[in-house]
Every structure is written in C-alpha cells, then in structure tokens.
Amino acid sequence: MTVSGLLIFMIVLFLVLVIFFGTPIAVGLGLAAVAELLLQGEVPLMIAPQRIFNGVNSVTLMGIPFFMLVGSIMERSGITQKLIDFANSLVGWLRGGLCYVGVMTGILMGGISGSAPADTAALSSIMVPSMERSGYPREFSAALMAGSGTLGIIIPPSMPMIVLASISGISVGKLFLGGIIPGIMIGVSFMLICGVTCYIRGYDKDRKLSFSIRQVARTFRHAILPILAPVIIVGGILTGVVTATESAITAVAYVLIVSMFIYRTVSLKDLPEMFVESVIGASNVMFIIGTSSLFAWIMQSNNFQEVVLGMFGDSVTNKIWVMFIVNLIFFIGGFFLEGTAMQIMFIPVLMPIITAANIDPIAFGVTVICNISVGNLTPPVGVCLYVAANSSRAKVEGIIREIIPFVLITLVDIAILVVFPQLITFIPNMMNT
C-alpha cells in the first residue's frame, strides 16, 4: 500500500471507530495510528509511546487540570448561582430575560473556568429547570445553555487557547485578550437570536418584572469576588507576574479561598471528590492530546502538509481565501474531531501558511478557537450537546434542532472576524502601546 493509501486508511479507520462503533476519540486516534505503523512496517512501535509522552510533556499544558478544578469548585460552591443572580438583576426583567441571563452568565463564567463542558453542565443544571417553569421548552433551554457554555473557551481564560499557545508559540496573554471582543460579540448574537425566537414563538410574553437598581447593587455585591477572578487571572499573565500555568494555580487558590472562607459553601471534606473529578477530566484531555500528537506526527512525517497546501493553490497571499480554507477545515473537522485533537493535527501544518499570507497569528488563533466552539455544538462529537442533554434530561435530537440558529449566527460572526480581524487584535495591540 502506498504512503497516501496508508494515510487515507488511518483517517478512515479513525472515523469508522468513532462514528460507527462509538470508540472514544483518544482511543480511536491511538488505534488508527498504531494500525498505520503496523501496516507501514518501517517505524518501530516504540515510537508510539514516545510520541504520546512528548505530546503531553509541556509545562504550559499543566494548567489544564487546574482550570478544570476551578470549574469543579465553582459548580460546588454556589458561585455559579451568584453570577446568575447578578445577570438576572441586569436583564432578567426584559421579555425573554431568562434567555439573556443564561447568555450573560455564560460570559461571566467563561472568565473564570475556561472549560466549555464545565460551564455547560453548571448552566444547564440550574437554568433549564427555571426556564422550563417559565414556559420555555426544555430542548430550547438546553440548546441555549450549550451555546452559552461554549463562550467559556473564547473569553479568557481558555483551555483550548493554552493548548494552541503550546503548539504554535503564540502568546497566551495575547490570545486571551484577543478573545474578549469575539466572545462578547457572539454572546450578543445569541441574545439577538433569543429575542427573535421569543417574539416569534410567544415565549415569556406575560413577564411583568421591573428593573431595580437596588437589586443590581445587592447581587453585584455578592458576585463581585467571582467577577474579579478573570481580572486576577489574565492580569497576572499580562503583567508577567505569573505564567499561564501559574495563573491556573492562582485561580484555584483564589476560588478556594472565596468558597471556603468567605462564602463558606465548600468544606475540607468536599476537596478530595473535586480533586479526583478534575484529575479524571484532565486525564481524558491529556489522553486526547497524547494520541493526537502521535496521529499528527504520522501525517506530518508522510507529508500530509502538502495535501493541505494543495487546497490553497496559488492563492496563499490572499488573506480572505486562506482564512476561508482554515475555517472550512476546522468547521468540517468539528463534526468528527475533538477541538484539542484538531489543533494538534492542523496548527503545525497551517502556521507556515498563515505566516506566508501575512495573517496576524492572534487573529488566526482566536478564529480557530471560535470554530472549535462551533464543533462543541455539532454532532456526532459535539460534547456540549451531550453535556446539556445529560444535565437537563432533554433529548439530544431536540437540542440539535434548536441549536441550529446559534451555530449559524456564530458562523456569521466568524465571517465578520475574518473580514475585520481588527476586532480580535484591537485589545492586544492596545495593551502593547
């Protein structure tokens, strides 16, 4: 079998294992890669564990389990509820207010945990029952919470941004800053979809609450400490006081102090379970990173990058065309691959093309993250769909139908970011001056 034939076999085998047999992403990547090595017969199998280990042997990636622990502490400590109460005081009085509350809370939570599945789980378990009691269909509510949860990987801090930085060498701090405007922009777009949907379907038409400055002040006072968390996390990185990994540890210490000694909603006996939960979650991510690294190494060593280069033809200097192909790769890949796996496979191949096209690496990186957020919402791999369904006990197929407008509006936002990359680079550039 030719080299190209082996690559095709490896990719097809992975897709068959994942889609038709339900094999976990990490296991499917590893099995397909090892099968290719066996058929090729030229590379010793010892290279497989070496590449898997090298894939996770990064100081930057050490921040992942700590950010997952932050999400676990938030869910147990009641911090999520305090953010919801604050968001509710700001926009809950509007028609469709609970929809806006969910989106705004997703934005606020995204500034703390950096994990889309964690944010989706927390939002779905709290918001979906409240929305259902107010007359919203469960599937619509769960779809909205899944979409709002994905904002957590665009707004800093973000675990996928940490992975991207470790692969590409792009500054973590600049990626964090670059995600602020796109994250808010996509959140506002979700609110627009909610407003139109509520008007067309007649949801929440009898809401008669009124805006109260006193209520805003009261809920803000209770939520001020969680709201300060992203300032501490991102500010520490930008000022050079801490690295990305150290900022994750700082975030853990901060939310632990707030939840244990100020809110007193977490006790010492709760810590072992949260630690174990975070370690298991981080292990799954690291397993995907490791096997993805092996898979990507096989593709790169067999000149897979030439196939990708062929997609661009002679238009590598056309920025819009290059970014269109990049977005297409990550959008299609999002149906079948987990975001971390996609980054490890495609970022090393695409970075030279991005450099040749003179595209700002921050704009490129944040656009990739936005596409990964879409991948979290598209079946069969869309993890936030299943997390929302599990947390809200809604039917996945119903959530998929309701999620379509949120996916489409996100794609429109991504197109706007491609045409106007200054929306991404404005804050990073401003912080450099």
Side-chain angles (χ1 to χ4, degrees), residues 9 25 39 42 57 70 83 90 132 152 165 179 182 232 235 255 263 286 315 321 329 343 348 366 389 404 417 423:
F9 168 78
I25 297 289
L39 288 174
E42 298 177 359
N57 187 25
V70 169
L83 294 175
L90 290 174
E132 197 171 10
I232 295 172
V255 295
Y263 294 152
M286 290 298 188
S315 303
W321 175 248
I329 290 172
Q343 290 191 75
V366 173
I404 292 173
L417 294 174
L423 292 170

Side-chain angles (χ1 to χ4, degrees), residues 154 161 170 173-183 185-186 323 327 359-371 413-431:
I154 304 173
M161 285 184 181
I170 301 173
K174 290 184 178 180
L175 283 173
F176 281 1
L177 290 175
I180 294 174
I181 292 178
M185 184 172 77
I186 294 173
M323 287 303 295
N327 282 287
I359 294 172
D360 191 293
I362 307 300
F364 162 71
V366 173
T367 305
V368 166
I369 299 300
C370 291
N371 275 280
D413 288 329
I414 292 172
I416 293 172
L417 294 174
V418 168
V419 177
F420 301 102
Q422 298 88 351
L423 292 170
I424 298 174
T425 59
F426 173 73
I427 295 180
N429 291 341
M430 182 178 65
M431 295 300 292

Side-chain angles (χ1 to χ4, degrees), residues 148 293 359:
S148 300
S293 299
I359 294 172

Side-chain angles (χ1 to χ4, degrees), residues 41 61 124 155 176 299 326 348 405:
L61 295 178
S124 299
I155 296 171
F176 281 1
M299 291 198 300
V326 167

Side-chain angles (χ1 to χ4, degrees), residues 15 18-19 25 334-337 375 377-383 385-386 400:
L15 294 176
V18 171
I19 296 173
I25 297 289
F335 285 91
F336 309 106
L337 289 167
L377 300 175
T378 52
V381 177
V383 62
L385 289 176
Y386 306 110
I400 292 173

Side-chain angles (χ1 to χ4, degrees), residues 81 98 125-138 141 204 207:
Q81 185 61 58
L98 286 178
S125 60
I126 297 174
M127 288 298 301
V128 172
S130 298
M131 293 183 70
E132 197 171 10
R133 286 193 296 270
S134 297
Y136 295 92
R138 183 180 300 180
S141 305
D204 206 23
R207 178 166 289 265

Side-chain angles (χ1 to χ4, degrees), residues 9 91 130 150 185 191 284 322 339 387:
F9 168 78
V91 295
S130 298
T150 62
M185 184 172 77
M191 291 182 182
N284 291 333
V322 170
V387 171

Side-chain angles (χ1 to χ4, degrees), residues 109-172:
M109 289 178 62
I112 304 174
S113 75
S115 169
D119 289 355
T120 300
L123 283 170
S124 299
S125 60
I126 297 174
M127 288 298 301
V128 172
S130 298
M131 293 183 70
E132 197 171 10
R133 286 193 296 270
S134 297
Y136 295 92
R138 183 180 300 180
E139 283 74 20
F140 171 77
S141 305
L144 175 60
M145 294 308 108
S148 300
T150 62
L151 298 175
I153 67 171
I154 304 173
I155 296 171
S158 162
M159 288 195 296
M161 285 184 181
I162 292 174
V163 174
L164 194 153
S166 71
I167 299 169
S168 65
I170 301 173
S171 164
V172 175

